[in-house]
Every structure is written in C-alpha cells, then in structure tokens.
Amino acid sequence: MVRQIVLDTETTGLDPASGDRVIEVAAIELYNFMPTGQTFHVLIDPERDIPEDATRIHGFTAEMLRGKPIFAGIAHELIAFLRDSEIIAHNAPFDFGFLDAEFLRCGHPKLDRARMVDSLDIAKRRYPGMPNSLDALCRRLGVDNSMRTSHNALLDVKLLAEVFLQLMGGKQPGLDLAAAPIRVAGPALVLEDAAPAARIPRPILPSEAELAVHAAFVEKKLKDALWLQPPFAAPAAEAG
C-alpha cells in the first residue's frame, strides 16, 4: 500500500534564512490515493514577532500564538507522523525549506528531497499557461473552497488533498467496490468473495442474404481461397 502525506505550513514570512519561522503545520494521511481520516495539526509559537503583511494572509498574530508549543516541542511528533512517506505540498520547495530550517534548528536532519511531490508542478504540467494557485485549481476541478477566506494550513491541506486526488485521477463517485469486502494481505489489497461479472453470450448470426453476398465477394476477389480447398471446404452434396 502506498502511503502519502499531504502537508501545508503557515509562516511568519517568506524566507527562513532571514529568520522567518513556521507557525502552523497541518497534514493528512493518504493510502493508495484515499484519505484515511488520520490528520496532524498544530499551532506553533514562532518565538518572534509576526509582520502585519503575514497576518493579513493567514490571520495569526504573535499574541494569538503565545503559549503554544515551540517547534522543538512538536518535532518528534511531526516526524513520527510523516514517517518515510512521500510528502505532497503545493509549491513544495517552500514548505520543505521552512521545515528543513526548523528541523536543523532543533537537531534533526533535513527532509529527503526524494520524498517531495510538488502538486503545483503537477498542475503546471497538466494546465500549462493557466493559473494554478490552490484557489484556481479548486474552481477548475469543482472543489468547494467557499469557506476559504484566509490562508489556514488545516483548511488548505484538506482542499489540497481533494485537488491532488483529482489531479492524479483518484477516487471518483460511482467507482466504489462496496459489494466486495476488502482485507489487507501484506502489501496488496485483496477483494474477498468478489464474484466475477456474469457474461452473456451474444452470437452474431448473418442472414442468408449476407452469406450470399459474402460468398460472391470471396469468389470474385479471392482466387483459390484456402478455406474453400480440401480438406477445409464442406463436401459437396451427393446426388439423389
């Protein structure tokens, strides 16, 4: 079974190298492109001020986050949730860059870039030259984002999970295998008691007129047709 994590962060700014910090992390677990209901969400005290420009985007102030855990206090829990799964994010290098800076700050290794799946890059390849922000993709793919009035990691990651599944051709209505119970057997999914669909034979029987037209065509166009020669040809009827 393929395990993936859809992830989003909110931050105090745009550049971890200049001292900007992570203030929110949200993640959703997928197995075989299906949400499992397992989520991770935490608000974080950035231990610094939050510029007004950033507050206008995500709505958080330093006062609102005072007393929340610092990143070092949630790092082990986040690492445990991520495990070694692929990590899907929209503009993933941004989120990876911030998480790397936070992990290094508290003594943990950076995230392996081989785990990174950038849904923005996928969208750009699928819709070249078109707007591919999360809002634009929600509108294009029919994902309801009417409640999204600000950048909030928990809401954004739920929307991104739906968008990602649409981009990857994931679960579609009407394709459930509800009649076939599923059990896990090692890495594979096994359908139990799934009876094969009944097949009804529908022979195509040509009419006498069609047979006559075909015979005339063969006689005119195909000289010495193999199936008209012995032993394939039907024996001539004996005279009475």
Side-chain angles (χ1 to χ4, degrees):
M1 296 178 69
V2 177
R3 183 180 188 266
Q4 297 170 303
I5 298 297
V6 183
L7 177 140
D8 187 48
T9 63
E10 296 297 340
T11 66
T12 64
L14 301 176
D15 186 7
S18 67
D20 284 318
R21 302 289 301 272
V22 172
I23 61 172
E24 185 181 19
V25 180
I28 289 177
E29 180 185 65
L30 305 179
Y31 262 112
N32 290 350
F33 299 101
M34 293 287 291
T36 65
Q38 296 299 311
T39 62
F40 177 93
H41 178 240
V42 63
L43 295 175
I44 299 165
D45 184 346
E47 304 177 276
R48 55 153 291 169
D49 67 307
I50 299 178
E52 290 183 5
D53 288 346
T55 297
R56 279 194 291 269
I57 293 172
H58 49 58
F60 291 111
T61 65
E63 181 63 29
M64 293 168 62
L65 298 174
R66 192 165 292 122
K68 301 295 183 184
I70 63 174
F71 191 91
I74 62 92
H76 284 286
E77 185 181 356
L78 176 57
I79 291 169
F81 186 82
L82 296 176
R83 288 160 40 187
D84 58 353
S85 302
E86 287 185 337
I87 301 170
I88 301 148
H90 208 60
N91 191 19
F94 178 89
D95 300 277
F96 270 61
F98 266 94
L99 290 176
D100 284 347
E102 295 287 359
F103 282 136
L104 289 174
R105 187 177 283 111
C106 54
H108 295 287
K110 297 193 296 185
L111 294 169
D112 183 354
R113 286 301 189 272
R115 300 169 61 185
M116 184 171 72
V117 178
D118 189 357
S119 55
L120 177 58
D121 182 60
I122 295 171
K124 285 180 176 179
R125 284 186 274 115
R126 181 165 178 179
Y127 305 112
M130 300 178 68
N132 286 300
S133 66
L134 183 56
D135 281 331
L137 290 170
C138 285
R139 290 190 295 269
R140 189 175 305 140
L141 298 172
V143 175
D144 182 10
N145 67 336
S146 58
M147 72 295 291
R148 188 178 190 244
T149 57
S150 64
H151 286 262
N152 172 282
L154 183 58
L155 174 58
D156 285 359
V157 80
K158 291 177 180 178
L159 294 173
L160 179 56
E162 292 188 56
V163 164
F164 177 72
L165 293 176
Q166 293 275 5
L167 286 173
M168 302 305 292
K171 182 177 182 293
Q172 298 294 327
L175 294 183
D176 293 330
L177 296 175
I182 298 177
R183 63 180 174 86
V184 177
L189 284 176
V190 179
L191 299 181
E192 294 185 335
D193 303 323
R199 298 184 179 274
I200 302 173
R202 294 182 173 85
I204 300 175
L205 301 176
S207 66
E208 292 294 333
E210 290 171 329
L211 289 172
V213 170
H214 176 70
F217 173 83
V218 170
E219 183 177 359
K220 180 178 180 181
K221 298 292 185 179
L222 302 177
K223 302 300 183 183
D224 302 322
L226 180 62
W227 60 87
L228 297 179
Q229 310 301 318
F232 304 105
E238 294 183 2

